[in-house]
Amino acid sequence: MGQSKIFTPLDLPNGTTIRNRIAKAAMEESLADVATSTPSKQLINLYATWAKGGSGVIITGHVMVDRSAMSGPGDVALDADSNLTMFQEWAAVSRIHGAQVWMQINHPGRQMRTDLGQQAYAPSAIPLDVGGASRLFCQPKEMPDSMVESVIERFVATARLAEEAGFNGVEVHAAHGYLISQFLSPLVNKRTDRWGGSPENRARVLYSVVRRIRAAVNPSFAVAVKINSADFQRGGFSPSDAIDVVGTLNTLGVDCIELSGGSYESPAMVIRIDSSKGSAYLEFAKEIVNVATVPIMLTGGISRRKVMEQVLDAGVAIVGLTTALALVPDLPVRLQRGERIPTAKTTPPNWSSKTLASAANLGVVKWNMRKHSKGEKATYQIWPIFAFIIEFFLGWRRARVFKQTRKVKAD
Ligand SMILES: Cc1cc2nc3c(=O)[nH]c(=O)nc-3n(C[C@H](O)[C@H](O)[C@H](O)COP(=O)(O)O)c2cc1C
């Protein structure tokens, strides 16, 4: 018991140590105080549950770097206008049992809902294509050069505030079709200036964010990056692009690179490593491990000890779990004690629209997170269609409050 690689500590390039190889990977909780976009008591309760659960690293759900560019109405934003008190509590509660807590920081770019009443900006004015659901997302405008610079500075400002609030690190979200991943993608980034065209230009936003954060925070503060292994779209960010990006990130003082995949348009984030498609994903992770000089984290479909060991044996340093920890938050502690682990997987519905099926799956996971945030037991066998309807309704209600409170402030 406890002798497996899973519970071997890991030294990070920044000189700190993670007590084991399990990370609670980022999951949008939609539990912020909607009016202020700050962490709520309910959100903090959820992290108290995860803190007790034994993960080595807890990565928060994505936190927006700009409150006027929100991905969802229940998301947290951390910027110069934020009151840090609840952020300090969030960090302290998450660290209390020995985990490191990293804040994932993000900007949605074009992946922004219409019902929030915000203007979306993206590398190019290309809207999201998610079939019948496309009209739920904004028509973006092309970001002017000066705005690209100010967004980079916002990432840096949020990272500094996260450090001030007591987080151990940040993870820059450069995956899943959000702003930085839009810049990386030749399908969506049609710019002809220094931010578009060649792979080096498309990656300039990511490299600038990472370089400037590293220079602005203490050397022991972790700087991680989440990238797609691929967008899974023809002509998009490809596996060979990912290998090149990892090659440069090696030189920028990064402490961990997390590999994922997909976007709203091609939701492969729910890919399963323990399926036939998943093993191809693991094969790709091995290629990345060969070129990376920093610890690699792999997330997607991991819930069983055997799969964790298989992934770690492939040279991956950290296994990232989200769904499994939303269902069984103390899974690491139970594993270490050698206890039987209840099934920690959802079954995404087999609907023809992959986007709606992915949204329903997210609904099931969020249902469980809400349960834990209220101190209730998880009941993860809720039907995806119910979870989808509930999530849709809650999202609609939050968006109304969001719009009303923002309007009152503007008036
Ligand atoms: C409800 C939910 C919310 C998510 N939110 C985020 C997020 O905020 N940031 C992120 O990088 N990934 C997010 N993801 C993707 C996960 O981090 C992860 O890549 C994906 O769920 C696959 O891992 P799993 O099979 O362990 O769930 C989310 C996934 C779920 C289910």
Coordinates of all heavy atoms in Angstrom, one line a residue, residues 358-406:
S358 N -21.9 16.5 -24.9 CA -20.8 17.0 -24.0 C -21.4 17.9 -22.9 O -21.0 17.8 -21.8 CB -19.7 17.7 -24.8 OG -18.9 18.5 -24.1
A359 N -22.4 18.8 -23.3 CA -23.0 19.7 -22.4 C -23.8 18.9 -21.3 O -23.8 19.2 -20.1 CB -23.9 20.7 -23.1
A360 N -24.4 17.8 -21.8 CA -25.2 17.0 -20.8 C -24.2 16.3 -19.8 O -24.5 16.2 -18.6 CB -26.0 15.9 -21.5
N361 N -23.1 15.9 -20.3 CA -22.1 15.2 -19.5 C -21.5 16.2 -18.4 O -21.4 15.9 -17.3 CB -21.0 14.7 -20.3 CG -20.0 13.8 -19.5 OD1 -20.4 12.8 -18.9 ND2 -18.8 14.2 -19.4
L362 N -21.3 17.5 -18.9 CA -20.8 18.5 -18.0 C -21.9 18.8 -16.9 O -21.6 19.0 -15.7 CB -20.6 19.8 -18.7 CG -19.5 19.9 -19.7 CD1 -19.2 21.4 -20.1 CD2 -18.2 19.3 -19.3
G363 N -23.2 18.7 -17.3 CA -24.3 18.9 -16.4 C -24.3 17.8 -15.3 O -24.5 18.1 -14.1
V364 N -24.0 16.6 -15.7 CA -23.9 15.5 -14.7 C -22.8 15.8 -13.7 O -23.0 15.7 -12.4 CB -23.7 14.1 -15.3 CG1 -23.5 13.0 -14.3 CG2 -24.9 13.8 -16.2
V365 N -21.7 16.2 -14.2 CA -20.5 16.5 -13.3 C -20.8 17.7 -12.4 O -20.5 17.6 -11.2 CB -19.2 16.7 -14.2 CG1 -18.1 17.0 -13.3 CG2 -18.9 15.4 -15.0
K366 N -21.4 18.7 -13.0 CA -21.7 19.9 -12.2 C -22.7 19.6 -11.1 O -22.7 20.1 -10.0 CB -22.2 21.1 -13.1 CG -21.0 21.6 -13.8 CD -21.4 22.9 -14.6 CE -20.2 23.5 -15.3 NZ -20.6 24.6 -16.1
W367 N -23.7 18.8 -11.4 CA -24.7 18.3 -10.4 C -24.0 17.8 -9.2 O -24.3 18.1 -8.0 CB -25.6 17.3 -11.1 CG -26.5 16.5 -10.2 CD1 -26.2 15.3 -9.5 CD2 -27.8 16.8 -9.8 NE1 -27.2 14.9 -8.8 CE2 -28.3 15.8 -8.9 CE3 -28.7 17.9 -10.1 CZ2 -29.5 15.8 -8.3 CZ3 -29.9 17.9 -9.5 CH2 -30.4 16.9 -8.7
N368 N -23.0 16.9 -9.5 CA -22.2 16.3 -8.3 C -21.4 17.3 -7.6 O -21.3 17.3 -6.4 CB -21.4 15.2 -8.9 CG -22.2 13.9 -9.2 OD1 -22.5 13.2 -8.3 ND2 -22.6 13.8 -10.4
M369 N -20.8 18.3 -8.3 CA -20.0 19.3 -7.6 C -20.9 20.1 -6.7 O -20.5 20.5 -5.6 CB -19.3 20.2 -8.6 CG -18.1 19.5 -9.3 SD -17.0 20.7 -10.1 CE -17.9 21.0 -11.6
R370 N -22.1 20.4 -7.2 CA -23.1 21.2 -6.3 C -23.4 20.4 -5.1 O -23.5 21.0 -4.0 CB -24.3 21.6 -7.1 CG -24.2 22.8 -8.0 CD -25.6 23.4 -8.4 NE -26.3 22.4 -9.1 CZ -26.2 22.2 -10.4 NH1 -25.3 22.8 -11.1 NH2 -26.9 21.3 -11.1
K371 N -23.6 19.1 -5.2 CA -23.9 18.3 -4.0 C -22.8 18.4 -3.0 O -23.0 18.6 -1.8 CB -24.0 16.8 -4.5 CG -25.3 16.5 -5.2 CD -26.4 16.1 -4.3 CE -27.7 15.9 -5.0 NZ -28.8 16.0 -4.1
H372 N -21.5 18.2 -3.4 CA -20.4 18.3 -2.5 C -20.3 19.7 -1.9 O -20.0 19.8 -0.7 CB -19.1 18.0 -3.2 CG -19.0 16.6 -3.7 ND1 -19.2 15.5 -2.8 CD2 -18.8 16.0 -4.9 CE1 -19.1 14.4 -3.5 NE2 -18.9 14.7 -4.8
S373 N -20.6 20.7 -2.7 CA -20.5 22.1 -2.2 C -21.5 22.4 -1.1 O -21.3 23.3 -0.3 CB -20.7 23.1 -3.3 OG -22.0 23.2 -3.7
K374 N -22.6 21.5 -1.0 CA -23.6 21.7 0.0 C -23.4 20.7 1.1 O -24.3 20.5 2.0 CB -25.0 21.6 -0.6 CG -25.3 22.8 -1.5 CD -26.7 22.8 -1.9 CE -26.9 22.3 -3.3 NZ -28.2 22.2 -3.9
G375 N -22.3 19.9 1.1 CA -22.1 18.9 2.1 C -23.0 17.7 1.9 O -23.1 16.9 2.8
E376 N -23.6 17.5 0.7 CA -24.5 16.4 0.5 C -23.7 15.3 -0.2 O -22.7 15.5 -0.8 CB -25.7 16.8 -0.4 CG -26.6 17.8 0.4 CD -27.6 18.4 -0.6 OE1 -27.8 17.9 -1.7 OE2 -28.2 19.4 -0.2
K377 N -24.2 14.1 -0.2 CA -23.5 13.0 -0.8 C -23.8 13.0 -2.4 O -24.9 13.4 -2.8 CB -24.2 11.7 -0.3 CG -23.1 10.6 0.0 CD -23.8 9.4 0.6 CE -23.2 8.1 0.1 NZ -21.8 8.1 -0.2
A378 N -22.8 12.6 -3.1 CA -23.0 12.7 -4.6 C -24.0 11.6 -5.0 O -24.0 10.5 -4.4 CB -21.6 12.4 -5.3
T379 N -24.7 11.9 -6.0 CA -25.7 10.9 -6.6 C -25.5 10.9 -8.0 O -26.4 11.3 -8.8 CB -27.2 11.4 -6.3 OG1 -27.2 12.8 -6.7 CG2 -27.6 11.3 -4.9
Y380 N -24.4 10.4 -8.5 CA -24.0 10.7 -9.9 C -24.8 9.9 -10.9 O -24.5 10.1 -12.1 CB -22.5 10.5 -10.0 CG -21.9 9.3 -9.5 CD1 -21.8 8.1 -10.3 CD2 -21.3 9.3 -8.2 CE1 -21.2 7.0 -9.8 CE2 -20.7 8.2 -7.7 CZ -20.6 7.0 -8.5 OH -20.0 5.9 -8.0
Q381 N -25.7 9.1 -10.5 CA -26.4 8.4 -11.6 C -27.6 9.2 -12.1 O -28.6 8.6 -12.6 CB -26.9 7.0 -11.1 CG -25.7 6.1 -10.7 CD -24.7 6.0 -11.8 OE1 -24.8 6.5 -12.9 NE2 -23.5 5.4 -11.5
I382 N -27.6 10.5 -12.0 CA -28.7 11.4 -12.6 C -28.7 11.2 -14.1 O -27.6 11.1 -14.7 CB -28.5 12.9 -12.2 CG1 -29.6 13.7 -12.8 CG2 -27.1 13.4 -12.6 CD1 -29.6 15.1 -12.4
W383 N -29.9 11.1 -14.7 CA -29.9 11.0 -16.2 C -29.4 12.2 -16.9 O -29.7 13.4 -16.5 CB -31.4 10.8 -16.6 CG -31.9 9.5 -16.4 CD1 -31.3 8.4 -15.8 CD2 -33.2 9.0 -16.8 NE1 -32.1 7.3 -15.7 CE2 -33.3 7.6 -16.3 CE3 -34.3 9.5 -17.4 CZ2 -34.4 6.8 -16.6 CZ3 -35.4 8.8 -17.6 CH2 -35.5 7.4 -17.2
P384 N -28.5 12.0 -17.9 CA -27.9 13.2 -18.6 C -29.0 14.2 -19.1 O -28.7 15.4 -19.0 CB -27.2 12.5 -19.7 CG -26.9 11.2 -19.3 CD -28.0 10.8 -18.4
I385 N -30.1 13.7 -19.5 CA -31.1 14.7 -20.1 C -31.6 15.6 -18.9 O -31.8 16.8 -19.1 CB -32.3 13.9 -20.8 CG1 -33.3 14.9 -21.4 CG2 -33.0 13.0 -19.8 CD1 -32.8 15.6 -22.6
F386 N -31.8 15.1 -17.7 CA -32.2 15.9 -16.6 C -31.1 16.9 -16.2 O -31.3 18.1 -16.0 CB -32.5 15.1 -15.4 CG -33.9 14.4 -15.5 CD1 -34.0 13.1 -15.0 CD2 -35.0 15.1 -16.0 CE1 -35.2 12.4 -15.1 CE2 -36.2 14.4 -16.1 CZ -36.3 13.1 -15.6
A387 N -29.9 16.4 -16.2 CA -28.7 17.2 -15.9 C -28.6 18.4 -16.9 O -28.3 19.5 -16.5 CB -27.4 16.4 -15.8
F388 N -28.8 18.0 -18.1 CA -28.8 19.0 -19.2 C -29.8 20.1 -19.0 O -29.5 21.3 -19.1 CB -29.0 18.3 -20.6 CG -29.0 19.2 -21.7 CD1 -27.8 19.7 -22.2 CD2 -30.1 19.6 -22.3 CE1 -27.7 20.6 -23.3 CE2 -30.1 20.5 -23.4 CZ -28.9 21.0 -23.9
I389 N -31.0 19.7 -18.7 CA -32.1 20.7 -18.5 C -31.9 21.6 -17.3 O -32.0 22.8 -17.3 CB -33.5 20.0 -18.4 CG1 -33.8 19.3 -19.8 CG2 -34.6 20.9 -18.0 CD1 -35.0 18.3 -19.7
I390 N -31.5 20.9 -16.2 CA -31.2 21.7 -15.0 C -30.1 22.7 -15.2 O -30.2 23.9 -14.9 CB -30.8 20.7 -13.8 CG1 -32.0 19.9 -13.4 CG2 -30.3 21.5 -12.6 CD1 -31.7 18.7 -12.5
E391 N -29.0 22.2 -15.9 CA -27.9 23.1 -16.1 C -28.2 24.3 -17.0 O -27.8 25.4 -16.8 CB -26.7 22.3 -16.7 CG -25.3 22.9 -16.6 CD -25.0 23.3 -15.1 OE1 -25.3 22.6 -14.2 OE2 -24.6 24.5 -15.0
F392 N -29.1 24.0 -18.0 CA -29.5 25.0 -18.9 C -30.3 26.0 -18.2 O -30.1 27.2 -18.3 CB -30.4 24.4 -20.0 CG -30.7 25.3 -21.2 CD1 -29.8 25.5 -22.2 CD2 -31.9 26.0 -21.2 CE1 -30.1 26.4 -23.2 CE2 -32.2 26.9 -22.2 CZ -31.3 27.1 -23.2
F393 N -31.2 25.6 -17.3 CA -32.1 26.5 -16.5 C -31.2 27.3 -15.6 O -31.4 28.6 -15.5 CB -33.1 25.7 -15.8 CG -33.9 26.5 -14.8 CD1 -34.8 27.5 -15.2 CD2 -33.6 26.4 -13.4 CE1 -35.5 28.3 -14.3 CE2 -34.3 27.2 -12.5 CZ -35.2 28.1 -12.9
L394 N -30.3 26.7 -14.9 CA -29.5 27.4 -13.9 C -28.6 28.5 -14.7 O -28.4 29.6 -14.2 CB -28.5 26.5 -13.1 CG -29.2 25.6 -12.1 CD1 -28.2 24.6 -11.5 CD2 -29.8 26.4 -11.0
G395 N -28.1 28.1 -15.8 CA -27.3 29.0 -16.6 C -28.1 30.2 -17.1 O -27.6 31.3 -17.0
W396 N -29.3 29.9 -17.5 CA -30.2 31.0 -17.9 C -30.5 32.0 -16.8 O -30.4 33.2 -16.9 CB -31.5 30.4 -18.5 CG -32.6 31.4 -18.7 CD1 -32.7 32.1 -19.9 CD2 -33.7 31.7 -17.9 NE1 -33.8 32.9 -19.8 CE2 -34.5 32.7 -18.6 CE3 -34.1 31.2 -16.7 CZ2 -35.6 33.2 -18.0 CZ3 -35.3 31.8 -16.1 CH2 -36.0 32.7 -16.8
R397 N -30.7 31.4 -15.6 CA -31.1 32.2 -14.4 C -29.8 33.0 -14.0 O -29.9 34.2 -13.7 CB -31.5 31.3 -13.2 CG -32.4 32.1 -12.3 CD -33.0 31.1 -11.3 NE -32.0 30.5 -10.5 CZ -32.3 29.6 -9.5 NH1 -33.5 29.3 -9.2 NH2 -31.3 29.0 -8.9
R398 N -28.7 32.4 -14.0 CA -27.4 33.1 -13.6 C -27.2 34.2 -14.6 O -26.8 35.3 -14.2 CB -26.2 32.2 -13.6 CG -26.1 31.3 -12.4 CD -24.8 30.5 -12.5 NE -25.0 29.2 -11.9 CZ -24.9 28.0 -12.6 NH1 -24.7 28.0 -13.9 NH2 -25.1 26.9 -11.9
A399 N -27.4 34.0 -15.9 CA -27.1 35.0 -16.9 C -28.0 36.2 -16.7 O -27.6 37.3 -16.9 CB -27.3 34.4 -18.3
R400 N -29.3 36.0 -16.3 CA -30.2 37.1 -16.0 C -29.7 38.0 -14.9 O -29.6 39.2 -15.0 CB -31.6 36.6 -15.7 CG -32.4 36.4 -16.9 CD -33.8 36.0 -16.6 NE -34.4 36.9 -15.5 CZ -35.6 37.0 -15.2 NH1 -36.5 36.2 -15.9 NH2 -36.1 37.8 -14.3
V401 N -29.3 37.3 -13.8 CA -28.7 38.0 -12.7 C -27.5 38.8 -13.1 O -27.3 40.0 -12.8 CB -28.4 37.1 -11.5 CG1 -27.8 37.8 -10.3 CG2 -29.7 36.3 -11.0
F402 N -26.6 38.1 -13.8 CA -25.4 38.7 -14.3 C -25.6 40.0 -15.1 O -25.1 41.0 -14.8 CB -24.6 37.7 -15.2 CG -23.3 38.1 -15.7 CD1 -22.1 37.9 -15.0 CD2 -23.2 38.8 -16.9 CE1 -20.9 38.4 -15.5 CE2 -22.0 39.2 -17.4 CZ -20.9 39.0 -16.7
K403 N -26.6 39.9 -16.0 CA -26.9 41.0 -16.9 C -27.5 42.2 -16.1 O -27.1 43.3 -16.2 CB -27.8 40.6 -18.0 CG -27.1 40.6 -19.3 CD -27.9 40.0 -20.4 CE -28.9 40.8 -21.1 NZ -29.4 40.1 -22.3
Q404 N -28.4 41.8 -15.1 CA -29.0 42.8 -14.3 C -28.0 43.6 -13.5 O -28.0 44.8 -13.4 CB -30.1 42.2 -13.4 CG -31.4 42.1 -14.2 CD -32.3 41.1 -13.4 OE1 -32.0 40.6 -12.4 NE2 -33.5 40.8 -14.0
T405 N -27.1 42.8 -12.8 CA -26.2 43.4 -11.9 C -25.2 44.3 -12.6 O -24.8 45.3 -12.2 CB -25.5 42.4 -10.9 OG1 -25.0 41.3 -11.7 CG2 -26.4 41.9 -9.9
R406 N -24.7 43.8 -13.8 CA -23.7 44.6 -14.5 C -24.4 45.8 -15.0 O -23.8 46.9 -15.1 CB -23.2 43.8 -15.7 CG -22.5 42.5 -15.4 CD -21.2 42.8 -14.6 NE -20.8 41.7 -13.7 CZ -19.7 41.0 -13.9 NH1 -18.8 41.3 -14.8 NH2 -19.5 40.0 -13.1

